[in-house]
Amino acid sequence: GQNIDQPTEMTATEGAIVQINCTYQTSGFNGLFWYQQHAGEAPTFLSYNVLDGLEEKGRFSSFLSRSKGYSYLLLKELQMKDSASYLCAVMDSNYQLIWGAGTKLIIKP
Amino acid sequence: IAGITQAPTSQILAAGRRMTLRCTQDMRHNAMYWYRQDLGLGLRLIHYSNTAGTTGKGEVPDGYSVSRANTDDFPLTLASAVPSQTSVYFCASSDSTTDTQYFGPGTRLTVL
């Protein structure tokens, strides 16, 4: 079966750095997405990786290793507004997105 | 309209009733999707449409139907609602260049 694993919850301190991991087993691979979802709101797109390596976008970076079935989202200089759930999703061979359950990130002052 | 809109925002429904959730996008995206999101679970695909006039079944299609008469609209119908269909429903559309999906604000549905 297809499976996306990510930690259920993480806690970090304002101003610090946090890394949210995602491992996947899917039938085929056509890219990996990270989304941010604030409580009670819709998911919003953060990043897309299809090749191995690091993609940097401001305070957020996303890394992919296809051989290991592994990705991480790195958030730097954490702000209180970064408190949200972070969703990892993989596009399979049918170009359908398979979603992880999300990681709830709690930022403490 | 800017992006994707969904209606209603929330609804309480008696079991056995018929309900249609509406979704409209103005981005001229070909592909559209319906997901449900339940606590502790990832987003699960109900139905999708790759282009106007075509639809397909996702991971959890039972009890739901969709239609795609034009590019902009993708309604989701519950023919006879059951309590297990209590969930938050998100509509999304995707850009064919990048396959990135963009989500509507969601509909919170409670079936009693």
Side-chain angles (χ1 to χ4, degrees):
Chain A
Q2 306 202 91
N3 196 48
I4 311 285
D5 284 318
Q6 46 181 135
T8 303
E9 187 175 296
M10 298 181 71
T11 302
T13 305
E14 189 178 17
I17 299 172
V18 70
Q19 177 175 310
I20 302 174
N21 296 325
C22 171
T23 58
Y24 63 89
Q25 289 179 305
T26 56
S27 55
F29 179 86
N30 283 299
L32 186 143
F33 295 80
W34 283 96
Y35 281 76
Q36 181 189 59
Q37 185 177 24
H38 285 101
E41 298 183 6
T44 55
F45 170 73
L46 283 178
S47 68
Y48 170 69
N49 295 69
V50 67
L51 299 175
D52 290 352
L54 189 67
E55 294 279 344
E56 297 186 82
K57 193 184 293 186
R59 294 188 300 114
F60 292 8
S61 302
S62 56
F63 172 83
L64 174 67
S65 169
R66 288 172 296 171
S67 63
K68 295 182 179 179
Y70 168 70
S71 173
Y72 67 74
L73 181 69
L74 192 71
L75 291 73
K76 302 176 185 176
E77 301 168 17
L78 286 170
Q79 303 174 9
M80 297 304 293
K81 68 178 182 180
D82 297 330
S83 291
S85 289
Y86 291 86
L87 315 181
C88 174
V90 173
M91 184 158 283
D92 70 8
S93 57
N94 294 319
Y95 290 88
Q96 300 294 348
L97 277 180
I98 309 301
W99 295 83
T103 298
K104 182 178 181 180
L105 179 62
I106 299 167
I107 310 295
K108 295 186 175 180
Chain B
I1 298 177
I4 303 180
T5 58
Q6 293 184 234
T9 302
S10 65
Q11 182 76 43
I12 299 174
L13 190 66
R17 297 297 295 270
R18 180 184 179 89
M19 176 74 192
T20 295
L21 308 185
R22 300 184 298 279
C23 175
T24 300
Q25 54 107 356
D26 67 353
M27 297 179 284
R28 308 305 294 172
H29 287 168
N30 282 326
M32 296 186 74
Y33 313 84
W34 274 105
Y35 291 94
R36 59 178 289 172
Q37 187 175 41
D38 302 291
L39 202 62
L41 300 177
L43 288 160
R44 292 184 291 170
L45 183 65
I46 304 170
H47 284 285
Y48 65 93
S49 169
N50 288 329
T51 190
T54 69
T55 62
K57 294 181 179 181
E59 178 186 356
V60 289
D62 294 344
Y64 306 95
S65 63
V66 291
S67 61
R68 187 87 184 279
N70 56 62
T71 297
D72 298 345
D73 302 300
F74 190 43
L76 176 74
T77 297
L78 289 68
S80 179
V82 295
S84 62
Q85 292 178 311
T86 293
S87 187
V88 180
Y89 291 86
F90 287 104
C91 178
S93 68
S94 66
D95 172 356
S96 58
T97 305
T98 65
D99 291 321
T100 301
Q101 294 188 12
Y102 299 92
F103 286 79
T107 293
R108 184 173 296 274
L109 182 68
T110 302
V111 183
L112 301 175

